[in-house]
């Protein structure tokens, strides 16, 4: 899976929007962009994924650049419960399965929410 | 079940003993992954099962580690002759297909402590 680059940490205030950036300049045409988050002492939790178009769900929105070399996870109104490590991951749809197709987690962005 | 279930949630074992960790994936999910996460570190891929295909064991760190998946459902990760460096949280994830189009669902993990 192609590599992604995220800031190590970000800080935001409660009830304000949060924009978490991710760069993936080597993305291929068959790579899906996945976002997961990991709350303290829990397993990772799926947030959202997309291919080309912007996506919205109950948790967040995903804005994908036109050239797909970057994306932004948007939390519209952060709460203290959104404090977590957020991972941006590329997942190749064309993969035939196997270890190389396993989700590769980088360091992610540690999101800190101030009350 | 409603989610991925892992047991036990915590396991303390003496160095040199064997341990078995269990994962119950979401019913109908064909893809199952094992990861481990050492304290303060990212997720390390261990092994991947897809349907009835031979598992991809490329992430297993040594021959002391093995895993099986019976009937395409429950999976067991076995660590023989445990060492202190095996201490970590072991996470299981499942997906409805090999490339996680619908996202991967993670269990809460098994925290293994080797003393």
């Amino acid at each position: 899976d192609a590599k992604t680059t995220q800031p190590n940490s970000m800080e935001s205030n409660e009830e304000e929007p949060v924009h978490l950036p991710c760069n993936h300049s080597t993305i291929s045409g068959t790579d899906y962009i996945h976002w997961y988050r990991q709350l303290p002492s829990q397993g990772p939790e799926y947030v959202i994924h997309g291919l080309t178009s912007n996506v919205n769900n109950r948790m967040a929105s995903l804005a994908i650049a036109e050239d797909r070399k970057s994306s932004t996870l948007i939390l519209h109104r952060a709460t203290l419960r959104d404090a977590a490590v957020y991972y941006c991951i590329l997942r190749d749809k064309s993969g035939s399965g196997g270890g190389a197709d396993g989700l590769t987690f980088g360091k992610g962005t540690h999101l800190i929410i101030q009350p | 079940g409603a989610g991925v279930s892992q047991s036990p949630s915590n396991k303390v074992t003496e160095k040199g003993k064997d341990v078995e960790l269990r994962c119950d994936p979401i019913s109908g999910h064909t893809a199952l992954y094992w990861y481990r996460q050492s304290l303060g570190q990212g997720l390390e891929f261990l092994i991947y099962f897809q349907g009835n295909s031979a598992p991809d064991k490329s992430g297993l760190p040594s021959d002391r580690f093995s895993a099986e998946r019976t009937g395409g459902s429950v999976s067991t990760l076995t660590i023989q002759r445990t060492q202190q460096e095996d201490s970590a949280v072991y996470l299981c994830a499942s997906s409805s297909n090999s490339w996680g189009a619908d996202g991967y669902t993670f269990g809460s993990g098994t925290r293994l402590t080797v003393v």
Side-chain angles (χ1 to χ4, degrees):
Chain A
D1 289 330
K3 184 178 177 180
T4 63
T5 305
Q6 299 177 253
N8 290 332
S9 66
M10 289 184 65
E11 198 167 312
S12 181
N13 295 321
E14 196 176 10
E15 299 187 5
E16 289 185 356
V18 179
H19 290 231
L20 296 165
C22 180
N23 287 321
H24 27 79
S25 58
T26 60
I27 191 171
S28 75
T30 52
D31 281 332
Y32 276 74
I33 302 160
H34 285 241
W35 283 83
Y36 285 76
R37 72 179 185 181
Q38 188 171 21
L39 279 66
S41 302
Q42 294 189 27
E45 173 187 30
Y46 167 81
V47 177
I48 200 167
H49 78 281
L51 184 62
T52 56
S53 303
N54 294 345
V55 184
N56 300 293
N57 66 20
R58 64 176 179 81
M59 290 181 70
S61 296
L62 176 61
I64 301 173
E66 199 168 325
D67 63 4
R68 301 210 323 126
K69 294 183 184 296
S70 65
S71 61
T72 303
L73 180 71
I74 302 166
L75 306 178
H76 294 286
R77 196 162 171 260
T79 70
L80 295 177
R81 293 174 55 189
D82 291 321
V85 178
Y86 286 78
Y87 298 97
C88 170
I89 300 161
L90 300 185
R91 185 74 172 96
D92 186 356
K93 177 183 177 180
S94 67
S96 58
D101 293 335
L103 287 177
T104 302
F105 287 79
K107 299 277 189 195
T109 296
H110 184 199
L111 177 63
I112 300 165
I113 304 296
Q114 297 290 354
Chain B
V4 176
S5 177
Q6 291 188 246
S7 60
S9 55
N10 280 286
K11 176 72 176 178
V12 180
T13 189
E14 292 181 353
K15 179 180 173 181
K17 300 280 189 182
D18 298 351
V19 294
E20 282 190 354
L21 312 179
R22 177 186 168 105
C23 173
D24 277 282
I26 290 175
S27 178
H29 277 193
T30 58
L32 186 149
Y33 291 86
W34 281 97
Y35 290 84
R36 74 175 175 181
Q37 187 171 32
S38 300
L39 187 64
Q41 302 297 311
L43 277 77
E44 175 189 4
F45 166 76
L46 296 177
I47 189 169
Y48 165 79
F49 295 89
Q50 172 55 40
N52 296 321
S53 302
D56 188 307
K57 307 176 183 180
S58 59
L60 296 179
S62 78
D63 58 9
R64 297 186 294 105
F65 288 72
S66 63
E68 62 178 21
R69 189 179 184 191
T70 54
S73 180
V74 173
S75 177
T76 303
L77 176 69
T78 302
I79 309 173
Q80 296 178 309
R81 305 180 302 281
T82 53
Q83 305 293 314
Q84 287 185 330
E85 60 262 28
D86 299 335
S87 296
V89 176
Y90 288 80
L91 291 156
C92 175
S94 71
S95 173
S96 59
N97 56 48
S98 65
W99 46 278
D102 300 321
Y104 295 79
T105 302
F106 281 80
S108 297
T110 294
R111 181 177 298 279
L112 175 66
T113 304
V114 182
V115 297

